[in-house]
């Protein structure tokens, strides 16, 4: 039975540190080892001891604390080769979850995500978040999260905390402060505690594209190596995974491919610049160029995308030209990014994933023209997490923090 081996967080060789620090490190070591086991593998205490190098007595004590905290569950006896009683297997508690949430320009979403990363309950509400102030948006999201919480509670699932993803730049010096031009938000402080009241782990905040990139590295294809996730919504965002970790840079804005200039004489962008990728390949820009904004009466987000897809399938020239220009401009931005960042592959999310069959040819024409030899066809591909990537990634960030510091639940 193969179990991932972690380096000892607190080697028993006399390294400096208090006994409390050692125990906290070993709690994380044991919990992480169990979390990293394959889905069909339920390691016993003895197997965890073997994988970590800790004594069986230490593992038994640590597991007892993790069981008391509700982070682990025991499963039925395991029949192992050799003599002796069958071991009792250990798994992450399937009745503990984190609320993943997303605010975007034209929708909000909430979903309960298990500690193993499964999306248990999920709700999306289409609404124009540019028409109201941030308090109304947060209130609507709180109501959506409450509905998901009630569904979770009916199944006996406890929500430990929440992660919120949104399309903006986070202010690291202030909790909950964000600037999100496409939402019309400038230096706002959000009342995060409103979203999942009384959750013991509280609420974490992340950039939407960064969260989706984090999800792709864990829930999607499990992309190996360094990659750039490009999120296509009303805005265009990017998240960088370098060395298997999210790279945000000192101010949290690394990977902002949506504001790479693709047309120096182009239209004004929400960021204050001109000719950014977002002004050509953003959702609103594509719809306008395809003539879909001429439709009388309002359309929801999904209705407008459906109308674009129908036009593309029908061979509509304006629709094909709009998506072709977006794909070509995306290639220009990726070519420029690849010159300064060692990107191994590119994952396309949001509407870029949906439109990939029509984006593919102009995108690669552009890449071959401006960055010849940088990307093979198999190195640029659509996301596997669908519309839930940012939500899953926001939850995953909090789950990872819990796995690294389970004592935060007062173990």
């Amino acid at each position: 039975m193969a179990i991932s081996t972690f380096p000892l967080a607190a080697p028993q060789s006399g390294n400096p540190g208090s006994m409390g620090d050692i125990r906290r490190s070993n709690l994380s070591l044991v919990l992480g080892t169990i979390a990293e086991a394959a889905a069909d593998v339920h390691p016993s205490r003895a197997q965890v001891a073997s994988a970590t190098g800790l004594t069986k007595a230490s593992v038994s004590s640590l597991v007892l604390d993790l069981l008391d905290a509700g982070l682990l569950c025991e499963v039925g006896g395991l029949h192992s080769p050799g003599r002796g009683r069958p071991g009792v297997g250990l798994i992450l508690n399937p009745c503990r979850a984190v609320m993943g949430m997303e605010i975007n320009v034209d929708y909000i979403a909430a979903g309960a995500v298990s500690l193993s990363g499964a999306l248990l309950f999920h709700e999306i509400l289409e609404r124009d978040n540019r028409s109201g102030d941030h308090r109304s948006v947060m209130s609507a999201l709180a109501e959506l999260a409450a509905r998901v919480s009630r569904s979770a509670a009916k199944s006996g699932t406890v929500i430990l905390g929440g992660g919120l993803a949104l399309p903006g730049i986070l202010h690291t010096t202030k909790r909950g402060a964000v600037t999100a031009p496409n939402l019309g938000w400038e230096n706002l402080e959000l009342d995060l505690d409103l979203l999942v009241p009384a959750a013991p782990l509280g609420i974490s905040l992340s950039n939407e594209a960064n969260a989706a990139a984090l999800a792709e590295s864990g829930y999607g294809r499990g992309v190996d190596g360094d990659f750039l996730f490009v999120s296509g919504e009303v805005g265009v965002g990017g998240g960088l995974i370098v060395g298997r970790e999210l790279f945000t840079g000192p101010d949290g804005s690394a990977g902002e491919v949506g504001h790479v200039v693709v047309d120096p004489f182009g239209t004004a962008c929400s960021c204050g610049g001109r000719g950014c990728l977002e002004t050509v390949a953003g959702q609103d820009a594509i719809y306008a160029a395809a003539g879909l904004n001429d439709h009388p009466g309002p359309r929801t987000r999904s209705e407008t995308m459906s109308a674009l897809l129908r036009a593309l399938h029908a061979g509509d020239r304006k629709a094909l030209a709009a998506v072709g220009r977006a794909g070509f401009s995306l290639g220009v931005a990726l070519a420029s990014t690849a010159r300064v960042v060692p990107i191994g592959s590119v994952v396309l999310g949001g509407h870029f994933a949906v439109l990939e069959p029509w984006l593919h040819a102009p995108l690669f024409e552009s890449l071959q023209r401006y960055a010849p030899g940088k990307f093979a066809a198999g190195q640029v591909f659509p996301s596997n997490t669908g519309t839930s990537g940012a939500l899953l990634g926001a939850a995953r960030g909090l789950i990872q923090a819990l796995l690294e510091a389970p004592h935060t639940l007062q173990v």
Side-chain angles (χ1 to χ4, degrees):
M1 181 179 294
I3 305 174
S4 299
T5 302
F6 286 68
L8 284 180
Q12 301 178 6
S13 58
N15 282 355
S18 69
M19 292 301 294
D21 290 340
I22 293 172
R23 187 166 186 80
R24 285 191 288 270
S25 295
N26 286 337
L27 280 167
S28 174
L29 178 61
V30 168
L31 185 61
T33 300
I34 295 165
E36 288 293 319
D40 59 345
V41 174
H42 307 147
S44 67
R45 289 166 173 79
Q47 289 166 334
V48 172
S50 176
T52 61
L54 297 171
T55 66
K56 292 180 181 179
S58 293
V59 168
S60 293
S61 174
L62 295 164
V63 165
L64 182 60
D65 282 350
L66 293 168
L67 289 168
D68 289 343
L71 295 176
L72 292 181
C73 280
E74 294 180 321
V75 292
L78 301 175
H79 294 283
S80 55
R83 298 181 179 180
R85 295 185 303 170
V88 174
L90 298 164
I91 59 171
L92 294 176
N93 190 342
C95 293
R96 297 293 182 271
V98 165
M99 185 72 69
M101 294 165 284
E102 181 183 3
I103 295 172
N104 221 303
V105 175
D106 49 6
Y107 69 93
I108 57 176
V113 180
S114 74
L115 297 183
S116 60
L119 186 57
L120 305 175
F121 306 94
H122 186 207
E123 293 212 22
I124 299 176
L125 176 64
E126 295 187 357
R127 69 190 306 274
D128 185 357
N129 294 321
R130 292 171 290 194
S131 60
D133 67 18
H134 68 283
R135 287 176 290 271
S136 69
V137 177
M138 293 291 285
S139 178
L141 182 58
E143 291 180 13
L144 199 67
R147 291 210 299 267
V148 173
S149 291
R150 287 193 291 271
S151 297
K154 288 178 182 178
S155 71
T157 301
V158 176
I159 304 296
L160 298 177
L164 170 61
L166 47 77
I169 298 174
L170 313 183
H171 296 243
T172 56
T173 56
K174 294 181 181 179
R175 180 178 182 270
V178 62
T179 295
N182 287 322
L183 290 171
W185 294 2
E186 181 69 29
N187 292 324
L188 295 179
E189 289 197 49
L190 306 178
D191 184 6
L192 299 178
D193 295 330
L194 172 73
L195 298 175
V196 188
L201 295 180
I203 309 296
S204 63
L205 188 63
S206 57
N207 170 270
E208 166 262 338
N210 286 340
L214 193 61
E216 196 66 33
S217 68
Y219 297 131
R221 298 166 182 257
V223 185
D224 292 328
D226 302 341
F227 70 90
L228 173 68
F229 181 92
V230 184
S231 170
E233 300 287 348
V234 170
V236 175
L240 273 171
I241 298 293
V242 179
R244 300 186 66 185
E245 294 186 359
L246 183 66
F247 177 76
T248 60
D251 63 352
S253 63
E256 280 292 336
V257 68
H259 298 290
V260 172
V261 176
V262 296
D263 181 0
F265 305 102
T267 58
C269 180
S270 62
C271 72
R274 301 190 72 86
C276 298
L277 173 64
E278 191 171 288
T279 66
V280 179
Q283 193 170 276
D284 284 353
I286 293 174
Y287 292 160
L292 295 178
N293 290 351
D294 301 334
H295 182 274
R299 271 178 170 159
T300 66
R301 170 178 179 263
S302 56
E303 287 172 344
T304 309
M305 177 55 73
S306 295
L308 175 61
L309 291 172
R310 287 195 300 272
L312 292 169
H313 282 293
D316 181 86
R317 290 185 178 182
K318 287 187 73 174
L320 290 170
V323 174
R325 186 185 178 209
F328 192 87
S329 298
L330 176 58
V332 173
L334 293 179
S336 299
T337 304
R339 297 296 188 185
V340 294
V341 180
I343 303 168
S345 55
V346 176
V347 183
L348 304 176
H351 65 253
F352 293 139
V354 176
L355 301 175
E356 195 274 339
W358 295 275
L359 287 169
H360 185 90
L363 170 59
F364 273 92
E365 178 189 347
S366 181
L367 286 174
Q368 289 165 8
R369 180 180 300 184
Y370 300 113
K374 283 287 184 181
F375 295 106
Q379 291 176 291
V380 181
F381 46 83
S383 167
N384 219 20
T385 58
T387 59
S388 304
L391 181 155
L392 286 168
R396 186 187 176 204
L398 190 62
I399 292 169
Q400 189 59 40
L402 176 60
L403 295 178
E404 293 173 357
H407 65 276
T408 55
L409 275 182
Q410 298 181 343
V411 175

